[in-house]
Amino acid sequence: MKQTLFSTFILLIAMTLLATFSVFKVNPEITVKVIIALSIAKFWLVAFQFMELKKAHAFWKYLILGFGGLMGIILVILL
């Protein structure tokens, strides 16, 4: 259990650093989409791992997945 939490935490840190360093190397239009995608993935990781939604009812799992996906699509369209 602790190993899974620790590896998820390391993955979240790595994704944050990837989003930070992508600002310097990539086209601004691509950077926005990469940061949004990483943010949605981080949202799902935190929700399922640290908030323990992986043990919740299927309704809540699909609701979180749908909310994250919908917000990601809306942000990509608007930005």
Side-chain angles (χ1 to χ4, degrees):
M1 180 67 173
K2 287 186 180 182
Q3 181 66 25
T4 306
L5 291 176
F6 183 71
S7 61
T8 304
F9 182 68
I10 295 298
L11 183 61
L12 287 169
I13 291 173
M15 291 171 80
T16 303
L17 292 174
L18 180 67
T20 303
F21 292 126
S22 71
V23 173
F24 300 116
K25 301 285 183 186
V26 184
N27 186 3
E29 293 177 7
I30 297 172
T31 302
V32 170
K33 292 179 174 95
V34 167
I35 290 174
I36 290 172
L38 288 172
S39 298
I40 296 302
K42 287 168 43 177
F43 168 73
W44 285 332
L45 277 173
V46 168
F48 281 97
Q49 193 64 35
F50 295 111
M51 294 171 58
E52 296 195 13
L53 269 174
K54 61 185 172 186
K55 298 178 183 176
H57 190 271
F59 171 76
W60 297 111
K61 292 178 187 179
Y62 292 128
L63 190 67
I64 289 295
L65 288 172
F67 176 76
L70 183 65
M71 286 298 114
I73 290 170
I74 289 172
L75 286 174
V76 166
I77 289 172
L78 289 177
L79 298 176

